[in-house]
Amino acid sequence: MDTIFALATAQGKAGVAVIRVSGPEARLVGEKLSRKSLPSRGMAFSRLRDSHGDLLDEALVLSFTMPDSFTGEDTVEFQCHGSSAVVSSILQTIEETGLARIAEPGEFTRRAMDNGKLDLTQVEGLADLIDAETEAQRKQAQVVLSGGLGKLADRWRSDLIRAASLIEVTIDFADEEVPVDVTPEVTDLLNGVARDLKREIDGVSIAERIRDGFEVAIIGAPNVGKSTLLNALAGRNAAITSEYAGTTRDVIEVRMDLAGLPVTLLDTAGLRDTDDHVEGIGIKLAQERAEAADLRIFLAEQDEILDVEFKPGDLRLLPKADVRVSSEGAISGKSGQGVDELVTHVSMTLKGRSAHTGIATRTRHRDALRRSSESLARAMERLHDGPEFYDIVAEDVRSAIRALELLVGRINVENLLDEIFSSFCLGK
């Protein structure tokens, strides 16, 4: 196994930079640069020098012995000053030792998985944690990174292995009288796992929204103040506004943090009949994005009909409260009237939906869970058809187990790994 190294903190000037070295020669690399013996596990203040003895920097050197490190290998970390010149000189000196090579993107994390420190769902949780921009994203990623989904999968797998073993004992004694009817216990085990799987499958779509962001579309006729409202919510001039109808022809997106949730606001083209080909394209796109959004804010008069379906949780508001005699039920991005109430409504609605999320967060998770659930459904259907079908039941249960093993990365995941780890930086 090669020894690898890379900058583990962000590129550019900083107070402190961390350079990580992992592999069988990691400690030797640390001792070559610090010119002294390092503790097998601990930290030491060292003056790092290059091959000519010239001072590179004064740094704190941390050493970890396998398997008690992030990668599960011997690891050394240099905590040095965050000057680009200092970091570059240390990296160059490490390479010149000939003991280590520069790490590939995500290679440290991949080694952690290969060495059993993380399962595949935890790797994905780590990627999500690095990318987290809101509190909800951070919390969700931390649950996955801590092994929550992997622990669930292990419990389900244990129950299914128990169920399969009971069935196979019955098969083995097919010509003899089995002392105990195993069907009730097998049924309970399969039903319990099936219920858990359904709950997680149902929660994936909301979990994906927390990870990728909810979409809230502002829709209405031309010149009702959609772009002005978007600018008021964003706190900046994100969209062009004018008194001319049809100014907005494309969907304008603004990403925000509302109550800890990632939300993308969509300012759409005004909905109307038009002979302008380009505006017509914008209106069609507006309708499609509005229909697909998680929530819609209708700016329209009470008797006005728009070609977009009103769904539960959507909000209908009267436009331009600042020029109305009565502003009840109205909003104005120009004056700010009703904007705080709108933010509260959107935040509470989306937080309510987020309460139904599970631990599984990705389409890949849902696909694996669904395959396992479908196998269990077939097994439970055949289980009550009699002992002559028990061999089929056992195979369906084994298929459910294999789907869970795929979920946590124990089997058949090589085709996924390159794609997953390529999203990581060199130092991770």
Side-chain angles (χ1 to χ4, degrees), residues 112-260:
M113 179 180 162
D114 291 341
N115 292 324
K117 305 296 289 186
L118 300 172
D119 65 32
L120 185 56
T121 62
Q122 289 176 289
V123 169
E124 291 167 324
L126 178 57
D128 289 343
L129 183 61
I130 293 171
D131 291 336
E133 297 175 338
T134 69
E135 182 66 4
Q137 289 174 325
R138 181 193 68 78
K139 289 181 177 179
Q140 179 173 274
Q142 286 282 16
V143 170
V144 181
L145 176 58
S146 67
L149 185 54
K151 291 172 185 174
L152 269 180
D154 283 342
R155 178 165 63 80
W156 297 331
R157 182 174 177 273
S158 177
D159 287 347
L160 294 182
I161 288 174
R162 169 68 177 169
S165 65
L166 290 171
I167 295 167
E168 286 166 356
V169 165
T170 303
I171 295 171
D172 290 341
F173 287 90
D175 297 329
E176 304 176 30
E177 184 174 346
V178 181
V180 178
D181 181 11
V182 302
T183 305
E185 183 176 356
V186 171
T187 300
D188 287 344
L189 290 168
L190 298 187
N191 281 334
V193 174
R195 283 193 300 269
D196 288 349
L197 290 175
K198 183 180 185 304
R199 184 182 65 249
E200 288 300 322
I201 291 168
D202 291 343
V204 169
S205 59
I206 295 299
E208 284 184 306
R209 282 291 185 259
I210 293 175
R211 184 166 59 86
D212 299 330
F214 292 90
E215 287 194 348
V216 176
I218 305 173
I219 57 179
N223 208 22
V224 295
K226 298 186 299 299
S227 296
T228 302
L229 177 58
L230 176 80
N231 291 340
L233 291 168
R236 60 186 176 88
N237 291 327
I240 299 173
T241 61
S242 79
E243 69 274 20
Y244 299 105
T247 299
T248 301
R249 297 194 170 197
D250 200 356
V251 176
I252 298 172
E253 302 183 5
V254 174
R255 194 167 177 87
M256 298 179 62
D257 180 338
L258 289 183

Side-chain angles (χ1 to χ4, degrees), residues 79-395:
Q79 296 187 3
C80 58
H81 293 99
S83 156
S84 298
V86 169
V87 170
S88 179
S89 63
I90 294 175
L91 292 174
Q92 181 179 343
T93 301
I94 294 174
E95 187 170 21
E96 288 174 352
T97 65
L99 297 172
R101 62 168 175 81
I102 190 73
E104 297 174 358
E107 191 169 3
F108 289 101
T109 305
R110 184 160 187 166
R111 290 191 176 194
M113 179 180 162
D114 291 341
N115 292 324
K117 305 296 289 186
L118 300 172
D119 65 32
L120 185 56
T121 62
Q122 289 176 289
V123 169
E124 291 167 324
L126 178 57
D128 289 343
L129 183 61
I130 293 171
D131 291 336
E133 297 175 338
T134 69
E135 182 66 4
Q137 289 174 325
R138 181 193 68 78
K139 289 181 177 179
Q140 179 173 274
Q142 286 282 16
V143 170
V144 181
L145 176 58
S146 67
L149 185 54
K151 291 172 185 174
L152 269 180
D154 283 342
R155 178 165 63 80
W156 297 331
R157 182 174 177 273
S158 177
D159 287 347
L160 294 182
I161 288 174
R162 169 68 177 169
S165 65
L166 290 171
I167 295 167
E168 286 166 356
V169 165
T170 303
I171 295 171
D172 290 341
F173 287 90
D175 297 329
E176 304 176 30
E177 184 174 346
V178 181
V180 178
D181 181 11
V182 302
T183 305
E185 183 176 356
V186 171
T187 300
D188 287 344
L189 290 168
L190 298 187
N191 281 334
V193 174
R195 283 193 300 269
D196 288 349
L197 290 175
K198 183 180 185 304
R199 184 182 65 249
E200 288 300 322
I201 291 168
D202 291 343
V204 169
S205 59
I206 295 299
E208 284 184 306
R209 282 291 185 259
I210 293 175
R211 184 166 59 86
D212 299 330
F214 292 90
E215 287 194 348
V216 176
I218 305 173
I219 57 179
N223 208 22
V224 295
K226 298 186 299 299
S227 296
T228 302
L229 177 58
L230 176 80
N231 291 340
L233 291 168
R236 60 186 176 88
N237 291 327
I240 299 173
T241 61
S242 79
E243 69 274 20
Y244 299 105
T247 299
T248 301
R249 297 194 170 197
D250 200 356
V251 176
I252 298 172
E253 302 183 5
V254 174
R255 194 167 177 87
M256 298 179 62
D257 180 338
L258 289 183
L261 294 170
V263 176
T264 299
L265 294 173
L266 308 177
D267 177 23
T268 60
L271 304 180
R272 66 171 178 173
D273 294 329
T274 180
D275 295 327
D276 187 312
H277 177 67
V278 176
E279 186 183 359
I281 294 173
I283 292 172
K284 186 175 185 299
L285 179 61
Q287 292 172 324
E288 292 173 351
R289 291 296 298 273
E291 291 287 356
D294 301 287
L295 194 66
R296 281 146 295 278
I297 301 169
F298 289 80
L299 296 186
E301 301 297 334
Q302 291 180 348
D303 58 351
E304 190 174 354
I305 299 175
L306 299 173
D307 292 332
V308 175
E309 181 185 358
F310 190 90
K311 300 178 182 179
D314 290 349
L315 193 61
R316 188 182 184 100
L317 298 169
L318 299 173
K320 299 186 177 181
D322 54 303
V323 297
R324 290 179 174 273
V325 176
S326 172
S327 61
E328 184 179 354
I331 192 169
S332 171
K334 186 175 183 179
S335 68
Q337 182 174 337
V339 171
D340 289 344
E341 291 80 359
L342 173 62
V343 170
T344 299
H345 173 85
V346 172
S347 300
M348 295 302 295
T349 300
L350 297 182
K351 285 186 73 173
R353 295 181 185 180
S354 301
H356 303 293
T357 186
I359 299 177
T361 60
R362 294 174 177 247
T363 301
R364 186 189 74 81
H365 300 167
R366 178 172 55 206
D367 290 345
L369 294 174
R370 186 169 288 158
R371 284 194 294 273
S372 185
S373 179
E374 290 169 352
S375 295
L376 287 187
R378 291 193 300 271
M380 287 187 286
E381 183 178 349
R382 289 291 189 182
L383 181 63
H384 299 287
D385 288 342
E388 62 269 26
F389 293 98
Y390 280 4
D391 55 340
I392 299 176
V393 174
E395 179 54 34

